Structures are given as structure tokens and as C-alpha cells.
């Protein structure tokens, strides 16, 4: 089953990787004009994460008695064409989001297709305008590990101005360890999608065999 899922996903992304888009130099990424078939949930989910640069990150607020707190944040899942599907963030504890995560890691990231520009005249809530919520734990990356270096490259490539943000604000790298995926990309309710299916849908392997 896993092999079939991966092959289907790789094939879908292979078709999409005939780049019909243009280079978005401001974001350091390639925009794909077409999105995957709505029947391919894994490819659609990975496409949404790789093509977006920001979303709404929700944490459990310590200042609001445990109420959910949503915040617009920038993120990246990797270098252009080398995304891993795992969102990374550059956050400061001067902002509630990072402070909340350090006390309670439970978090969710919501991303819409609408900012990509491929929803046409559809309203953002229209099910045909895809959206995804990744729920899990927002974890601080510490030390000088390879993952920290990956996060730095991924974020600073996609968001170049981050590198010049004030050092005195103590920005740090975080990642979302995904535990659940909620995806709407068509009518009929959320698409069933496991973490393994999502992570195994790797368009890098498609690019490697082009």
C-alpha cells in the first residue's frame, strides 16, 4: 500500500514539476500554476505547504487562561524544490506564540490555497479552494544541530529579510512535529490522510528522476 501511495504521489508531482510558473524572487521559490488532482490528498497537502510562505499558527495562550491564540507567521518546509513537508519557524519570545509554545507545545498551523493565487474567483471558504491544518507540537530547536542548519537555510532562503532581524530580540528556530492533518480540497468533507502518506509524498525524488 505504501509503495502505491508513494508512486501515485510521485507521479502527480512529476507532472506538476513541468514548471509552468515563474520564479518569485522575493520569496525565493517557484510557483506552480496547477495544483494536484483533488483525489491525490498527499500531493495536494505537500503542494499547499511547499507553495505557501505564511499561515496562522495557533497556540495555547498562557495569558488568556488556556484559550487558543492565533498569530500570522512566516514558515518554510525547505529550500525551493527540496521541501520536507515539516514547517519551520523563526520566532521570538517577545511574541506570545513562542512564549506559549515553551510552556505548552500543542499547536496547529492553518494554510490556505488562496494566497497562492490559484483559487480564481472562489471565496477562501469554498471547499474547492484548498486549506490544510497541521496539528502537533511546536518544538524549539536547540544547539548547532544539522536540523538547525536546515531550518536556517530553509527560512532565510524563503524569507531573506529574516537574516537581518534584530539579534537582541533573540529569535530562535522552531518546528512543528505533525500529529494530525486536516485537509479540505474539494466538496464532501476532509480527505483521509495519514502522517506517513503525507511525509512519503516527496517531490524531490520525482525531480531526481526527471
Amino acid at each position: 500500500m505504501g509503495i502505491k501511495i508513494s508512486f501515485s504521489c510521485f507521479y502527480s508531482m512529476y507532472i506538476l514539476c513541468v514548471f509552468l510558473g515563474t520564479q518569485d524572487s522575493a520569496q525565493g521559490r517557484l510557483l506552480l500554476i496547477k495544483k494536484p488532482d483533488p483525489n491525490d490528498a498527499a500531493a495536494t497537502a505537500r503542494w499547499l505547504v511547499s507553495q505557501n510562505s505564511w499561515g496562522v499558527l495557533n497556540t495555547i495562550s498562557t495569558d488568556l487562561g488556556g484559550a487558543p491564540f492565533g498569530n500570522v507567521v512566516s514558515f518554510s518546509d525547505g529550500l525551493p524544490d527540496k521541501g520536507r513537508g515539516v514547517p519551520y519557524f523563526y520566532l521570538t519570545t517577545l511574541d506570545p506564540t513562542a512564549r506559549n509554545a515553551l510552556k505548552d507545545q500543542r499547536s496547529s498551523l492553518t494554510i490556505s490555497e488562496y494566497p497562492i493565487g490559484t483559487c480564481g474567483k472562489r471565496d477562501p471558504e469554498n471547499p474547492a479552494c484548498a486549506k490544510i491544518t497541521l496539528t502537533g507540537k511546536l518544538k524549539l530547536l536547540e544547539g548547532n544541530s544539522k536540523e538547525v542548519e536546515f531550518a536556517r537555510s530553509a527560512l532565510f532562503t524563503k524569507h531573506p529579510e529574516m537574516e537581518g532581524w534584530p539579534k537582541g530580540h533573540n529569535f530562535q528556530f522552531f518546528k512543528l512535529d505533525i500529529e494530525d492533518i486536516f485537509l479540505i480540497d474539494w466538496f464532501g468533507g476532509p480527505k483521509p490522510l495519514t502522517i506517513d502518506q503525507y511525509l512519503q509524498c516527496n517531490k524531490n525524488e520525482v525531480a531526481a528522476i526527471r
Side-chain angles (χ1 to χ4, degrees), residues 94-138:
L94 294 177
D95 184 277
T97 299
R99 293 201 307 270
N100 292 341
L102 292 176
K103 294 182 178 180
D104 189 331
Q105 294 179 331
R106 291 177 295 169
S107 308
S108 65
L109 174 68
T110 299
I111 304 165
S112 170
E113 179 189 348
Y114 197 81
I116 300 175
T118 49
C119 286
K121 296 182 179 180
R122 298 186 183 98
D123 188 89
E125 193 175 338
N126 186 316
C129 186
K131 67 275 299 174
I132 188 171
T133 296
L134 304 174
T135 300
K137 291 184 170 60
L138 186 60

Side-chain angles (χ1 to χ4, degrees), residues 6 8 28 35 37 47 51 59 63 66 77 84 102 104 109 117 123 130-131 145 193 198 203 207:
S6 296
S8 171
K35 67 178 181 180
D37 189 293
W47 176 80
Q51 293 303 297
T59 52
D63 297 329
D77 74 329
R84 296 179 178 179
L102 292 176
D104 189 331
L109 174 68
D123 188 89
K131 67 275 299 174
S145 66
L193 180 61
Y198 171 78
K203 69 177 183 178

Side-chain angles (χ1 to χ4, degrees), residues 112-166:
S112 170
E113 179 189 348
Y114 197 81
I116 300 175
T118 49
C119 286
K121 296 182 179 180
R122 298 186 183 98
D123 188 89
E125 193 175 338
N126 186 316
C129 186
K131 67 275 299 174
I132 188 171
T133 296
L134 304 174
T135 300
K137 291 184 170 60
L138 186 60
K139 296 183 176 180
L140 172 66
L141 301 181
E142 300 183 271
N144 296 312
S145 66
K146 289 183 179 180
E147 188 168 26
V148 167
E149 288 305 312
F150 177 86
R152 179 180 287 106
S153 296
L155 285 160
F156 289 1
T157 298
K158 202 166 191 177
H159 306 278
E161 76 166 69
M162 283 183 172
E163 194 166 4
W165 286 357

Side-chain angles (χ1 to χ4, degrees), residues 55-69:
V56 177
L57 184 59
N58 302 277
T59 52
I60 306 299
S61 174
T62 57
D63 297 329
L64 300 175
F69 176 79

